[in-house]
Amino acid sequence: MHVAIIMDGNGRWAKKRGLPRIEGHRRGAEKVEKVVEWASDLGIDYLTLYAFSTENWRRPWEEVNFLFKLFVEFMKKKVQRMKKEGVRIRIMGRREGLPDEVLDVWNWVEEETKDGRKITVVIALNYGGRAEILDAVRRIVKDGRKIESEEDFREYLYIPDLPDPDLVIRTSGEMRISNFLLWQIAYSELVFLDKYWPDFEKEDLEKALEDFSRRERRFGGIR
Ligand code: FPP
């Protein structure tokens, strides 16, 4: 089971409380730690979290900076504990443009947690679905590779061995995909939750899984 989450609404969560936006992100990061724990407890094999999109560079640099700082600190503080719990962490996105410190942490956490077998947590960072497809096409052209099937194309995605998400959850009430995993979500079930990310609770995840289990997936066929 692969669950992917668009963690939206940190800014609005903070605004509602008269706090700076970065405070919302800080609370959002705390929720990341929780959701990894819950997902692992619930037997989810893959959890993908949208942490920073290729479009997020349009935000004020202080906020962009803060998000990278949060990512670095989070990894430095939490990785050893997650490793003990059997978490494997992988980062997915475009490396170009990211600060060196972020790239160093990227390499380090992937190496450090590569033997984790309980759950794989994928952090989408400087990630865009279109960018991923474009990067794949560029590499295909460079390799002079002939692509005969979807499987051939898949080899060029950022993480080729990542199964497609079964379920995508978006918080904050927005009903958009916002350039998340475009290739991979072709047949994913979608759940939109009217709650800001810092307010996301274990029950919300359980409820989304329950919703999912009641849906009938036909993958274009008939029953
Ligand atoms: C969307 O809320 C959230 C983000 C763009 C950043 C998500 C990042 C985190 C939850 C924390 C950092 C991640 C890790 C792995 C430590 P928004 O700012 O777009 O909210 P708004 O739509 O209300 O403005």
Side-chain angles (χ1 to χ4, degrees):
M1 177 84 183
H2 179 181
V3 176
I5 307 183
I6 303 175
M7 310 180 287
D8 193 19
N10 293 345
R12 276 164 287 168
W13 181 92
K15 191 168 176 222
K16 214 175 85 187
R17 288 165 175 74
L19 298 168
R21 292 179 55 82
I22 57 168
E23 196 48 42
H25 293 314
R26 205 193 306 275
R27 297 296 284 261
E30 285 169 17
K31 212 42 79 144
V32 167
E33 184 181 15
K34 292 279 176 209
V35 82
V36 168
E37 221 177 278
W38 301 333
S40 180
D41 287 351
L42 291 166
I44 291 167
D45 309 290
Y46 295 89
L47 175 70
T48 298
L49 303 171
Y50 205 1
F52 191 86
S53 78
T54 47
E55 287 69 42
N56 287 149
W57 292 102
R58 295 186 193 133
R59 298 185 177 207
W61 73 267
E62 292 92 344
E63 184 172 340
V64 170
N65 231 2
F66 185 83
L67 284 168
F68 290 143
K69 206 179 93 189
L70 207 54
F71 167 79
V72 167
E73 277 175 11
F74 179 91
M75 293 303 164
K76 285 185 179 164
K77 272 195 212 140
K78 312 291 180 189
V79 157
Q80 293 313 326
R81 163 125 194 259
M82 291 199 281
K83 183 180 169 181
K84 267 196 215 106
E85 304 289 333
V87 178
R88 178 177 187 188
I89 299 175
R90 303 187 73 176
I91 316 293
M92 173 171 70
R94 231 184 216 168
R95 286 178 182 263
E96 292 89 75
L98 288 173
D100 287 343
E101 194 188 12
V102 171
L103 293 174
D104 290 346
V105 168
W106 176 327
N107 296 334
W108 169 72
V109 287
E110 287 196 336
E111 177 61 26
E112 190 69 18
T113 64
K114 67 180 192 305
D115 297 323
R117 290 287 173 272
K118 178 83 175 76
I119 184 172
T120 296
V121 175
V122 179
I123 305 291
L125 192 71
N126 197 18
Y127 177 85
R130 288 184 176 177
E132 179 177 32
I133 292 169
L134 209 62
D135 286 349
V137 171
R138 286 195 186 120
R139 281 168 47 224
I140 289 164
V141 171
K142 201 165 134 248
D143 290 358
R145 174 76 188 276
K146 198 163 160 211
I147 301 295
E148 310 254 8
S149 66
E150 291 181 5
E151 283 64 42
D152 290 349
F153 185 80
R154 189 180 287 275
E155 287 174 35
Y156 286 87
L157 294 176
Y158 292 139
I159 304 184
D161 53 321
L162 181 68
D164 289 342
D166 299 287
L167 171 64
V168 178
I169 301 171
R170 181 176 188 143
T171 57
S172 95
E174 309 288 350
M175 297 204 221
R176 288 191 292 275
I177 289 301
S178 300
N179 206 10
F180 191 40
L181 304 173
L182 296 182
W183 175 273
Q184 297 89 335
I185 60 165
Y187 288 103
S188 304
E189 295 291 332
L190 309 176
V191 167
F192 296 98
L193 198 67
D194 207 356
K195 212 177 212 199
Y196 299 139
W197 174 247
D199 291 328
F200 189 80
E201 292 302 336
K202 189 175 187 189
E203 294 70 52
D204 298 314
L205 181 58
E206 286 169 341
K207 168 112 197 333
L209 290 169
E210 218 178 280
D211 265 20
F212 170 83
S213 70
R214 276 198 300 267
R215 294 187 193 180
E216 178 198 19
R217 302 179 81 196
R218 293 192 298 272
F219 299 97
I222 53 174
R223 221 177 107 86

